[in-house]
């Protein structure tokens, strides 16, 4: 079991594989995987006011307001299972959220230690979102390569029903990519300025992406730069 502290922010477009990789990384490092999308979907399933509010934004592929999202994350990060760190998937989603995250971590005397960035071309993102099936019960994700069994989930004795996320419909997919490019992609520069970004090709198979991911987060701990680590260019520094 590791005893290091990891503050990991996973960056990448919708469908780039953040959730798939975060599950594996959480198991390898023994720290929790915190997905703001999953937290919103859980709240919606429970019928909470937060879930109902979030749905109106998620259905359009827009971001849920920052104050709501930051309060939810703040609460989650203060849980005891985050004592050795966490993997954030889908948060922060814009610079204001990244600054709010810094402020929350400062209260705990912590900082972000690495920000792996999964790069996947838009055409591949759209194809993946169109072929994704998720288990309502255990959250397992299926795709073209590992197609969903006809009779339901069947992952580790699960019998859950499989469904397609409403925000994976074609028009919403495209808006999610637009929102990502406008609001979330600037975080690559935000974290590159701190030497925390490692760019990884998310178009490799899942196992190879995971190997690159493990290398990125462990190198992040020692502060050295990995192959593919990005430094901001002079032009980027100016913006
Ligand atoms: P969220 O749930 O975070 O969605 P997302 O960021 O769009 O990411 P996805 O979950 O769609 O994809 P992923 O990168 O996890 O890919 P996955 O591993 O599933 O957010 C949804 C909505 O919630 C937002 O639009 C917003 O409204 C709201 N929200 C969430 N966070 C917010 C925040 N911080 N602020 C405001 N609003 C927020 O993989 C995709 C598919 O590809 C799967 O089928 C998978 O099996 C397959 N796949 C994965 N890896 C590979 C591989 N290497 N090769 C082939 N196939 C692969």
């Amino acid at each position: 079991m590791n005893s290091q502290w990891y503050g990991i922010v996973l960056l990448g477009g919708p469908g780039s594989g953040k959730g798939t990789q975060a599950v594996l990384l959480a198991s390898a490092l023994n720290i929790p995987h915190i997905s703001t999308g999953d937290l919103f979907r859980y709240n919606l399933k429970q019928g909470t006011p937060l879930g109902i509010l979030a749905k109106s934004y998620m259905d359009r592929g827009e971001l849920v307001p920052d104050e709501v999202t930051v309060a939810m994350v703040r609460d989650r990060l203060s849980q005891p299972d985050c004592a050795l760190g966490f993997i954030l998937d889908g948060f922060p989603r814009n610079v204001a959220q990244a600054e709010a995250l810094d402020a929350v971590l400062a209260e705990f005397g912590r900082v972000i230690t690495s920000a792996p960035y999964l790069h996947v071309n838009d055409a591949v993102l759209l194809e993946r979102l169109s072929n994704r099936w998720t288990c309502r019960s255990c959250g397992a994700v299926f795709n073209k390569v590992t197609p969903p069994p006809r009779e339901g989930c069947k992952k580790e004795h699960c019998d859950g029903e499989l469904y397609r996320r409403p925000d994976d419909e074609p028009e919403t997919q495209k808006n999610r990519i637009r929102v990502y490019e406008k609001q979330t992609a600037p975080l690559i520069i935000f974290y590159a300025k701190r030497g925390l970004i490692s760019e990884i090709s998310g178009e490799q198979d899942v196992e190879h992406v995971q190997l690159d991911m493990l290398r990125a987060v462990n190198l992040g701990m020692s502060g050295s730069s990995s192959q593919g680590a990005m430094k901001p260019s002079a032009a980027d520094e100016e913006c």
Side-chain angles (χ1 to χ4, degrees), residues 27-204:
S27 161
L29 301 177
N30 199 30
I31 53 176
H33 161 210
I34 300 171
S35 155
T36 41
D38 286 350
L39 288 173
F40 288 135
R41 283 183 286 276
Y42 174 78
N43 272 276
L44 180 60
K45 200 170 159 189
Q46 302 298 313
T48 69
L50 172 62
I52 293 161
L53 172 82
K55 180 176 166 36
S56 61
Y57 293 90
M58 293 170 86
D59 283 352
R60 288 179 281 125
E62 298 292 333
L63 297 187
V64 179
D66 290 346
E67 60 274 20
V68 176
T69 309
V70 170
M72 178 177 78
V73 171
R74 189 179 197 291
D75 179 59
R76 182 64 187 86
L77 293 182
S78 59
Q79 304 295 317
D81 65 335
C82 294
L84 288 180
F86 50 76
I87 301 160
L88 284 171
D89 159 13
F91 184 91
R93 210 92 167 193
N94 57 31
V95 170
Q97 290 186 8
E99 288 170 348
L101 174 62
D102 283 345
V104 169
L105 292 181
E107 289 174 33
F108 306 141
R110 300 293 191 182
V111 291
I112 293 301
T113 56
S114 56
Y117 157 49
L118 286 176
H119 181 264
V120 175
N121 285 311
D122 287 2
V124 178
L125 293 180
L126 291 171
E127 203 209 351
R128 284 188 185 174
L129 295 176
S130 301
N131 287 290
R132 172 168 57 187
W133 290 83
T134 308
C135 173
R136 272 194 207 286
S137 180
C138 72
V141 174
F142 297 86
N143 57 36
K144 236 179 161 177
V145 187
T146 54
R150 278 194 188 175
E151 62 279 17
C153 179
K154 304 294 169 215
K155 276 243 163 119
E156 291 173 12
H157 310 296
C158 178
D159 210 12
E161 181 200 0
L162 300 174
Y163 79 110
R164 282 190 31 80
R165 276 172 42 179
D167 60 345
D168 280 348
E169 292 312 315
E171 268 321 298
T172 316
Q173 287 175 6
K174 286 182 195 140
N175 194 38
R176 284 163 65 200
I177 292 178
R178 276 194 292 271
V179 169
Y180 167 77
E181 278 163 3
K182 194 163 174 218
Q183 303 201 44
T184 310
L187 291 178
I188 297 166
I189 299 303
F190 181 93
Y191 287 112
K193 284 179 177 168
R194 300 184 190 175
L196 296 178
I197 285 277
S198 297
E199 180 169 341
I200 294 169
S201 168
E203 294 185 21
Q204 308 171 86

